[in-house]
Amino acid sequence: MSELDIRLLLTALVSVLLLVALIVSRIRMHPLLALLVVAVGVGLFAGMDIDRVARAVTNGAGKTLGAVGIIIALGAMLGKVLADTGVTESIANAILRRASDRALPWAMALAAFIVGIPMFFEVGLVVLLPLIFSVARKLETRERFRGSAYIYVGVPVIAALAAMHGMVPPHPGPLTAIATLKTVIGPTMLYGFVAAVPAIVLGGPLYAQFLTPRMTVRPDEALLEQFTHAPGPASTGSQPGAALGIFTVLLPALLMLVHTLAETLLPKGAPVARVAAFLGNPLIAMLIGVLFACTALVYARGGDTKRLRESLGASLKPIAGILLIIAGGGAFQQVLTDVKVGDAIVHLTQHFALPPLALGWTIAMLLSVSTGSATVGIVGAAGLLAPLAGADPTLNLPLLALSIGCGSLFFNYANHAGFWLVKESFGMTMGEATKTISVVQSIVALVGLAMVLLMNLLPALG
């Protein structure tokens, strides 16, 4: 390792510590300001040109908003329509009637497992937030319940969505590793499902039961009212049927699932596959979901269209701050990437003497934690190990791809946009967010690695 590598690694570490200090110390700096200040400081201290620093901050914020900002806004609109027409309320009541208090985390984990098969982590969380908040708000009114109901039902959802996002194709992480290592989707997907189940159980319902009595997390009241208040301005006075309501909730996920199946089963470039890819694009799928909800739940039922428009506009106000903070996280991540912190991590890992499966997990983990990008972790780890994958015929390449995906999930923290989405949506402090999303994803990543090493002892699939 060179002196520059050591300097970059120390810069990345100090920047995260400084960010936390600015937010939680007596300064109490707003997260958006803290993220921008630290991002600019990292760029300048690392020797970037002044114009490059500003460009990296702008590009990082814009890229992140472009990737998840509009989707989160559409998710807020969909959640508002579902809440105002009573759909979320009826689904929450049905879950509470059919599941005991102890079974609720398992039911929520199962719902997130299904939704998470085609949906990215951020998209799945936005879609499920109305259901999380509705179930938790009803649960917290029960006298015998102790602790944070939002942690109790939210942590299993976070664990399931994270596990599916990092372990199971066609999520971008596993697909990138598969393409770089020149392996196949089928065995990787099967391995991913097998590894995801114990990871979700330990990081979700079991950890939620441990954490809930120790937490008092409660989202902002405006966000709660948006997602749980029913009937609202767009209501027609009678609630839609359960089947229509559930279909409306799942429509974006179904469109993405069709894309998944088409991508897996059809030749690349086939007309049907191209149409499925368009409809299954997260932004298009969410847009269709919102339009369908407005049409089926309001327009077709004689609802007040003027009040619907006002309600949709009002749905964006509680999430404006969340979107800007997520953009700040994207700016911080982009600067860390541009100053080549990832290269320093790569040079560091060259000194490791680990088996390939453990090495892939470790490289992806270090790159993801240091740069704030799971994609950087996966691309870097897969690229480094691709020559080894081609030279060692005994190496189980689907398991190596899975190991890299698991490593990219470890300790999602302040330089990850997903961290800020969870923190701000649930109204958490930095410490509370660390105990939830950071620890949950670490559990999922470690259990995933353990499952990879265990499955490597068995005969290879395919």
Side-chain angles (χ1 to χ4, degrees), residues 48 51-62 330-332 334-335 338:
M48 289 179 67
D51 59 334
R52 285 190 61 209
V53 173
R55 190 163 58 248
V57 170
T58 303
N59 291 344
F332 184 30
Q334 187 65 52
V335 171
D338 285 359

Side-chain angles (χ1 to χ4, degrees), residues 11 22 63 75 121 128 152 191 197 199 209 213 257 290 293 296 328 343 347 356-357 389 405 457:
T11 299
L22 289 174
K63 185 168 63 176
F121 176 84
L128 290 172
Y152 192 62
Y191 280 135
V197 172
Q209 290 174 4
L257 182 60
V290 173
D343 290 350
H347 298 156
L357 296 180
L457 301 176

Side-chain angles (χ1 to χ4, degrees), residues 40 49 72 106 128 161-162 202 208 212 244 296 305 338 384 387 389 426 460-461:
V40 171
D49 293 336
I72 292 173
W106 301 90
L128 290 172
L161 292 176
L202 291 173
T212 295
L244 177 61
T305 55
D338 285 359
L384 280 173
F426 285 84
L461 296 176

